[in-house]
Amino acid sequence: EVLIFQLEGSEFRLQQTLSKHTQRVTGLAWSPPVRGQRPRLASCSEDRTAYVWEFDESLGSWVAFIVELASPRAALCVAWAPNGQRFAVGLASKDTAVCYWMEAVESWIAVKVGRSKASVVSVSWHPNSEFLATGSTDGRCCVYNVNEESMLPDPLPPFGELQCMEDSGAWVNTVMFSTSGRYLAYLTQDSSVSIKDLSEGPQAQSSKVRWKGLPFLTGAWLNDRCFVACGFDFVPVLFQRSNGKWECRGSVDTRAAPASPMARAGAGAGAG
């Protein structure tokens, strides 16, 4: 089930329970605010389905629209493009679905891109909505061209073409573009964080920062010079670029800050 809460005063009140999925919900994503467009929520599940929920003011409730994923395995993660027109779903079938609205059938249709050796567990859109990064459990972080003009009405090159690939050597938990799209960070199960400067080209080496604590599961860029990562240590950790080098600044939660430095930095592997 998906629970929708509404803030009333200082408290959240349950507004509606969305019950289309039959197995565990694995991903939720709000669409970016677009003028003239109703709020949208995308959900995906281990039941191999995805839905887009739109709030209908006349009904006072959320209405579900099916996504034609055509996936033989579980849907694992979902993210909207910054322009709010498409979204991507990472699949256990080792590929990624880029979904768009088809008015003729009043449904969301998926076009598959990429082919990993294992499940795709994280997806991230470039700020211009033309490139998509994926992270998978085979240790790979890939960037694909998903230009909308090359996608519709029928996919044509360069849509779906691989732009760069990084082999991290460990399960990728999260991928994320920086606010400008210059940097791509990927957080892996070996308790390290890697950052690639895309302005230096696909063959440029990634910078790797190793964390001596437990692995990170998710993160968020604050700007092009720093981001925060969180994971099994239950503390938000700040990473920052200074004097041309990425470094760990430690926990931003002073109550949980470690007493001694917890990370070391170095150069990582280049493009695979």
Side-chain angles (χ1 to χ4, degrees):
E1 294 181 337
V2 178
L3 306 180
I4 303 293
F5 290 85
Q6 184 173 5
L7 181 62
E8 294 184 352
S10 60
E11 297 183 357
F12 284 94
R13 181 181 64 83
L14 180 63
Q15 181 190 58
Q16 187 175 344
T17 301
L18 313 181
S19 305
K20 286 287 187 179
H21 293 294
T22 59
Q23 295 185 35
R24 186 172 71 98
V25 176
T26 52
L28 294 171
W30 291 104
S31 66
V34 178
R35 181 176 296 180
Q37 181 176 288
R38 294 183 295 183
R40 289 173 171 172
L41 173 68
S43 64
C44 64
S45 167
E46 289 178 347
D47 63 8
R48 301 178 296 174
T49 66
Y51 289 91
V52 173
W53 307 83
E54 293 189 10
F55 186 74
D56 190 320
E57 293 185 359
S58 62
L59 298 176
S61 62
W62 292 85
V63 179
F65 294 87
I66 187 66
V67 181
E68 297 292 344
L69 275 183
S71 175
R73 296 187 181 180
L76 301 176
C77 56
V78 60
W80 282 92
N83 63 11
Q85 300 303 309
R86 297 177 295 166
F87 60 92
V89 181
L91 304 171
S93 54
K94 307 176 185 179
D95 49 7
T96 303
V98 177
C99 306
Y100 68 97
W101 175 255
M102 181 178 285
E103 190 67 37
V105 296
E106 295 187 348
S107 179
W108 291 86
I109 306 299
V111 178
K112 304 295 178 60
V113 297
R115 187 67 181 176
S116 300
K117 294 182 179 180
S119 300
V120 177
V121 294
S122 179
V123 292
S124 176
W125 289 84
H126 189 276
N128 65 11
S129 299
E130 295 184 359
F131 299 94
L132 181 71
T134 67
S136 48
T137 56
D138 60 1
R140 293 182 177 181
C141 174
C142 300
V143 177
Y144 298 97
N145 185 313
V146 290
N147 183 284
E148 190 169 3
E149 293 182 359
S150 302
M151 175 181 175
L152 301 174
D154 296 306
L156 295 171
F159 179 83
E161 292 184 356
L162 181 67
Q163 304 299 296
C164 68
M165 182 181 69
E166 297 290 321
D167 191 346
S168 68
W171 181 318
V172 178
N173 289 326
T174 293
V175 294
M176 53 185 187
F177 281 105
S178 66
T179 53
S180 72
R182 174 178 175 177
Y183 297 102
L184 176 66
Y186 44 105
L187 287 52
T188 50
Q189 192 66 15
D190 62 354
S191 298
S192 68
V193 173
S194 298
I195 307 97
K196 185 178 181 68
D197 187 346
L198 298 173
S199 68
E200 296 180 357
Q203 302 302 320
Q205 281 194 327
S206 295
S207 298
K208 178 174 285 189
V209 182
R210 297 190 182 276
W211 172 253
K212 291 186 178 180
L214 297 176
F216 295 114
L217 292 175
T218 188
W221 286 90
L222 304 180
N223 52 51
D224 258 20
R225 296 180 59 85
C226 61
F227 61 88
V228 173
C230 302
F232 292 107
D233 285 322
F234 304 111
V235 293
V237 179
L238 179 68
F239 292 84
Q240 188 173 31
R241 181 175 174 83
S242 179
N243 297 321
K245 183 179 179 181
W246 286 96
E247 298 177 338
C248 175
R249 298 299 189 187
S251 172
V252 297
D253 186 348
T254 56
R255 297 170 299 176
S260 59
M262 294 287 286
R264 62 183 186 276

